[in-house]
Amino acid sequence: MKKALITGITGQDGSYLAEFLLGKGYEIHGMVRRSSTETFLRIEHIREKIYIHQADLLDQLSIINLIEQVNPDEVYNLAAMSFVPTSWVQPVLTAEFTAIGVTKVLEAIRLVNKKIKFYQASSSEMFGKVHEVPQTENTPFYPRSPYGVAKVYGHFITVNYRESYDIFACSGILFNHESPRRGKEFVTRKISHAVARIKCGLQDKLYLGNIDAKRDWGFAGDYIKAMWLMLQQDKADDYVISTGETHSVREFCQIAFDHVGLNWKDYVQTDPSLVRPAEVDLLIGDCRKARDILKWKSSISFKELVVLMVDEDLKRIKK
């Protein structure tokens, strides 16, 4: 039985990955930070099937001890300060978790067992002010937020450890991926949750920032399969994971409100305070490398994803 250690197991991606790897027969270990309030909601349904350990990306020794204790075959580093707007409010903390934290996990692997395979969650936010459309593994990075800058560090330190210490270390440059498990602070879930509340008469308006921003949105349940596939290859490498389509926040709103029989223009208002200091206007990925080598592709269309999220939020609210 293979063993996997997942940092950020309580998040959207961590919960889907844990489910997926359980289905593959893995023994699953998850790393969580010590907190006065436990937030295991996304993994509650599999809580009895997995092992949870306390450690912290800010504490090198706790990471070393955890990897020694678990001795996993694979480590998936999904933990980060992942909400882009907060990275302007807490830029130093973002750097410590999202950048330096990657180094601490890689150092632990180097010190404990260099045969452990490592996956780093890189991000399309690294492309920022894009140099080419669509973006590939070779597109230069131009991050436009402290989060994006930190992710670039995490990406290149992964490459550095792969090339310096012959560690099987991969980065998945994942474009935006959503699901009903997305946090309510993220724009897609903010929209789907608000649509459900407005439909049920619990909310009047939805306030958004730049509704013309365009993203390449896919389903998180698809994207975690790509993470696993990367670690099953003979050679460690980096891959763009995307749908190859781009849609605006405006389109997301239109489909979501249309699905419940409402006109989005009657409810959506823009709020200048929600606009980023430096905007990322257009992201669209070219995942041909992942299709050719990993044999991976997305399975849910943009419209199906929006409808899925709205329907799940409607179910929750009606309960």
Side-chain angles (χ1 to χ4, degrees):
M1 181 183 287
K2 277 188 176 181
K3 283 191 279 188
L5 172 62
I6 304 170
T7 74
I9 194 169
T10 60
Q12 169 189 253
D13 292 7
S15 65
Y16 278 114
L17 180 61
E19 277 179 350
F20 176 77
L21 294 179
L22 282 171
K24 292 285 183 185
Y26 278 65
E27 179 179 301
I28 305 299
H29 296 259
M31 188 192 95
V32 298
R33 295 179 70 209
R34 168 75 178 93
S35 174
S36 57
T37 55
E38 292 186 337
T39 52
F40 293 154
L41 187 63
R42 294 184 182 96
I43 57 170
E44 201 58 53
H45 60 298
I46 55 171
R47 184 70 181 81
E48 300 303 315
K49 300 177 182 177
I50 62 180
Y51 300 90
I52 296 295
H53 308 267
Q54 287 184 358
D56 197 315
L57 287 180
L58 302 185
D59 181 358
Q60 179 72 79
L61 187 57
S62 73
I63 302 294
I64 293 170
N65 288 340
L66 176 58
I67 288 179
E68 277 185 333
Q69 177 188 345
V70 174
N71 192 25
D73 299 282
E74 299 169 359
V75 172
Y76 295 85
N77 184 41
L78 310 185
M81 203 304 296
S82 61
F83 187 47
V84 176
T86 302
S87 74
W88 276 285
V89 181
Q90 296 180 300
V92 176
L93 188 68
T94 299
E96 288 173 340
F97 276 120
T98 308
I100 304 302
V102 184
T103 315
K104 289 178 179 174
V105 179
L106 284 164
E107 263 298 276
I109 289 171
R110 183 181 74 82
L111 292 169
V112 175
N113 179 5
K114 289 198 289 185
K115 292 184 179 178
I116 295 170
K117 292 186 174 183
F118 175 77
Y119 171 84
Q120 166 60 14
S122 287
S123 168
S124 59
E125 287 285 331
M126 300 188 305
F127 294 119
K129 191 174 182 180
V130 298
H131 283 245
E132 64 180 0
V133 179
Q135 293 87 54
T136 73
E137 292 81 4
N138 299 315
T139 301
F141 299 134
Y142 193 144
R144 299 268 282 171
S145 66
Y147 170 80
V149 172
K151 278 293 186 183
V152 170
Y153 176 96
H155 179 84
F156 278 122
I157 201 68
T158 300
V159 173
N160 186 257
Y161 270 67
R162 178 169 72 219
E163 295 177 349
S164 301
Y165 302 115
D166 197 27
I167 291 171
F168 194 107
C170 299
S171 280
I173 307 172
L174 271 58
F175 280 64
N176 294 65
H177 44 290
E178 317 299 318
S179 77
R181 298 182 193 175
R182 192 57 138 154
K184 291 175 189 171
E185 69 273 24
F186 291 87
V187 68
T188 51
R189 182 75 196 289
K190 183 178 179 180
I191 294 168
S192 67
H193 186 247
V195 167
R197 284 177 56 81
I198 289 168
K199 181 65 177 177
C200 294
L202 301 173
Q203 187 171 326
D204 298 321
K205 295 290 181 183
L206 167 60
Y207 295 94
L208 298 172
N210 179 13
I211 63 172
D212 294 315
K214 292 184 175 180
R215 296 290 185 271
D216 184 327
W217 277 302
F219 174 52
D222 287 337
Y223 284 41
I224 54 92
K225 295 175 188 174
M227 301 175 186
W228 175 76
L229 286 167
M230 288 178 211
L231 298 195
Q232 311 315 307
Q233 304 306 305
D234 294 329
K235 177 176 173 287
D237 208 346
D238 308 321
Y239 297 86
V240 162
I241 304 299
S242 65
T243 68
E245 295 180 10
T246 191
H247 299 274
S248 65
V249 175
R250 186 190 301 267
E251 287 177 76
F252 199 107
C253 287
Q254 184 174 353
I255 293 169
F257 278 96
D258 282 351
H259 181 58
V260 297
L262 299 174
N263 185 344
W264 72 277
K265 293 179 182 178
D266 295 334
Y267 302 96
V268 176
Q269 290 188 3
T270 55
D271 180 349
S273 71
L274 298 175
V275 176
R276 296 181 181 186
E279 183 57 88
V280 174
D281 296 310
L282 170 65
L283 291 174
I284 177 170
D286 181 345
C287 67
R288 276 179 292 182
K289 182 177 174 182
R291 281 204 310 268
D292 293 344
I293 296 175
L294 305 180
K295 309 303 178 189
W296 177 89
K297 63 179 181 179
S298 57
S299 68
I300 292 181
S301 72
F302 175 66
K303 184 176 181 180
E304 288 170 337
L305 176 62
V306 178
V307 168
L308 170 68
M309 292 178 69
V310 172
D311 281 346
E312 285 298 315
D313 274 323
L314 276 170
K315 278 184 202 170
R316 288 189 186 109
I317 287 168
K318 286 176 180 177
K319 267 184 183 177

